[in-house]
Amino acid sequence: MSANEPDLAALAETIKRWGGELGFAEVRIADVELGHCEPGLQAWLEAGFHGDMEYMASHGLKRARPAELVPGTVRAICARMNYLPAGMDADWRAREAARLAEPGAAVISVYARGRDYHKVMRARLQQLAERIRGVAGEFGFRVFSDSAPVLEVSLAEKSGLGWRGKHTLLINRQGGSFFFLGEILVDLPLPVDAPETPHCGQCQACITVCPTQAIVGAHKVDARRCISYLTIELKGSIPPEMRALIGNRVYGCDDCQTVCPWNKFAQRAAVADFDERHGLGEATMAALFAWSEEEFNRKMEGSAIRRIGHERWLRNLAVGLGNAAALAKGAPEIVAALESRRADPSALVREHVEWALARHR
């Protein structure tokens, strides 16, 4: 090692310490050889499990080849950041499950109740990269957080941040799965960390609880049946046969996570960005359905929810309001909310409103 070259082992430990200072729960390092993932990725795409997410198919196997995405890449600095809001009480899992049985409750995935994680994660990863530059000098890097064709879970698994659960999400022994992932692809040959041993055993809880049976096998999800896909990624009409299964989940679905035994260890967020905003953890569907487009855009400024737009927001809420009939058929406030959008300018919204009203008759 020359006088100008950094001590890579010492730098790796420093990077992990800096990660903690920046709010990450853990930072680890992996090589970027993901050839073992290519057959599974190809089979998943060929089965059509990606649905209308054409960007998944367009990048193809490049997702498993980080060095093609960022030439010169030899390592991935992988980070995870907890996102449970600080205000979550001890019995939060039971409370989240109970809201699924409340007729008027709007159930929104926990991760989406605060600020947009893409921006939070990338900004802090960029800060970490700048600190590395201060020690190592100029180096090649690029930061990601669900923002590029990268197999994030596979890299994180390889780094030892956790293991892939049967629901395909990463699970950590000390932190469950309620955390975001992000990476810095670098051209520095840092020492790598050992992967974690899987600890799901014979547990099938996530597979059993899925409302739409989207987990078609261990580590295999048919996105076309996943509520997160249906309420977030799908741009058009939600298939009629899937609507009743969605219940009152109006943005995403946490069922496979809340039922996971490892999430008794889920940790609260270390940063305020993920604190709940606009009462989204307690909101009713009727109240959210009344938001104008201007109100939606203003209140969802800086939120991951805003990217689906007001039209799909209303589509999702209409389905949830229709499903409320299973517990409160003909409830006046719910029917009135639906009637208020019966002449909505959007054909997509009108279609779902009519379906919902028919459920209340």
Side-chain angles (χ1 to χ4, degrees):
M1 182 176 69
S2 73
N4 293 325
E5 292 179 333
D7 180 336
L8 293 176
L11 178 58
E13 293 307 310
T14 301
I15 288 169
K16 295 170 186 178
R17 175 171 56 80
W18 284 338
E21 293 171 0
L22 289 167
F24 295 110
E26 193 175 4
V27 173
R28 294 173 71 91
I29 299 164
D31 66 60
V32 294
E33 175 50 56
L34 296 176
H36 63 287
C37 299
E38 293 189 13
L41 174 58
Q42 187 66 45
W44 186 78
L45 291 169
E46 289 176 354
F49 287 165
H50 59 298
D52 289 345
M53 295 184 289
E54 294 302 329
Y55 59 88
M56 296 293 297
S58 64
H59 292 292
L61 296 180
K62 188 174 185 178
R63 291 181 175 275
R65 301 168 183 174
E68 288 186 13
L69 180 66
V70 183
T73 294
V74 295
R75 296 289 186 268
I77 299 171
C78 301
R80 66 179 186 88
M81 181 177 282
N82 298 320
Y83 66 77
L84 277 188
M88 282 283 197
D89 50 30
D91 64 347
W92 65 274
R93 287 199 297 162
R95 186 173 64 82
E96 291 294 321
R99 278 180 59 76
L100 295 170
E102 296 176 18
V107 177
I108 294 169
S109 282
V110 175
Y111 85 86
R113 297 176 193 173
R115 292 191 60 78
D116 187 344
Y117 70 95
H118 300 87
K119 298 176 182 177
V120 176
M121 289 288 289
R122 289 203 303 269
R124 289 175 182 261
L125 288 168
Q126 185 68 35
Q127 290 178 52
L128 181 55
E130 294 298 336
R131 289 193 184 189
I132 296 170
R133 177 184 282 148
V135 171
E138 290 299 324
F139 71 105
F141 73 91
R142 185 172 167 187
V143 303
F144 305 94
S145 182
D146 193 21
S147 55
V150 180
L151 294 180
E152 292 188 303
V153 174
S154 297
L155 285 173
E157 186 176 34
K158 199 165 194 182
S159 78
L161 283 181
W163 70 92
R164 186 186 291 271
K166 292 174 183 176
H167 48 23
T168 74
L169 303 174
L170 198 75
I171 302 174
N172 180 275
R173 292 184 73 176
Q174 289 77 40
S177 61
F178 281 79
F179 51 78
F180 299 122
L181 295 174
E183 307 78 39
I184 311 175
L185 297 185
V186 302
D187 61 4
L188 297 172
L190 298 163
V192 300
D193 293 298
E196 172 67 278
T197 303
H199 296 283
C200 286
Q202 299 302 309
C203 181
Q204 299 277 319
C206 60
I207 296 174
T208 302
V209 80
C210 180
T212 58
Q213 295 300 288
I215 307 172
V216 296
H219 315 110
K220 187 181 298 182
V221 171
D222 183 347
R224 297 168 299 183
R225 299 188 63 84
C226 178
I227 292 174
S228 287
Y229 168 82
L230 294 169
T231 58
I232 300 172
E233 299 294 341
L234 183 64
K235 294 180 172 62
S237 177
I238 294 174
E241 68 273 16
M242 303 302 297
R243 295 175 191 176
L245 301 176
I246 290 173
N248 58 350
R249 302 166 186 84
V250 301
Y251 188 93
C253 178
D254 288 335
D255 289 26
C256 64
Q257 294 197 82
T258 52
V259 76
C260 177
W262 288 103
N263 273 318
K264 64 186 175 184
F265 301 119
Q267 302 294 311
R268 305 303 183 272
V271 298
D273 299 86
F274 305 132
D275 288 350
E276 188 178 290
R277 304 197 305 167
H278 305 297
L280 290 179
E282 304 292 339
T284 67
M285 291 186 287
L288 299 180
F289 202 56
W291 285 1
S292 66
E293 184 169 12
E294 181 278 328
E295 192 172 8
F296 170 82
N297 287 334
R298 174 167 45 83
K299 289 187 174 180
M300 294 297 97
E301 180 71 36
S303 164
I305 296 174
R306 188 174 179 182
R307 78 180 184 92
I308 70 169
H310 188 237
E311 182 182 45
R312 276 190 272 168
W313 175 249
L314 294 178
R315 175 200 64 182
N316 296 348
L317 285 161
V319 169
L321 289 165
N323 288 331
L327 296 170
K329 190 170 184 177
E333 70 279 5
I334 291 174
V335 172
L338 288 166
E339 289 283 1
S340 74
R341 295 280 184 186
R342 202 165 189 177
D344 192 270
S346 164
L348 181 68
V349 173
R350 294 197 305 272
E351 174 200 342
H352 290 77
V353 165
E354 290 302 325
W355 175 89
L357 284 168
R359 303 264 292 172
H360 283 275
R361 295 189 186 112

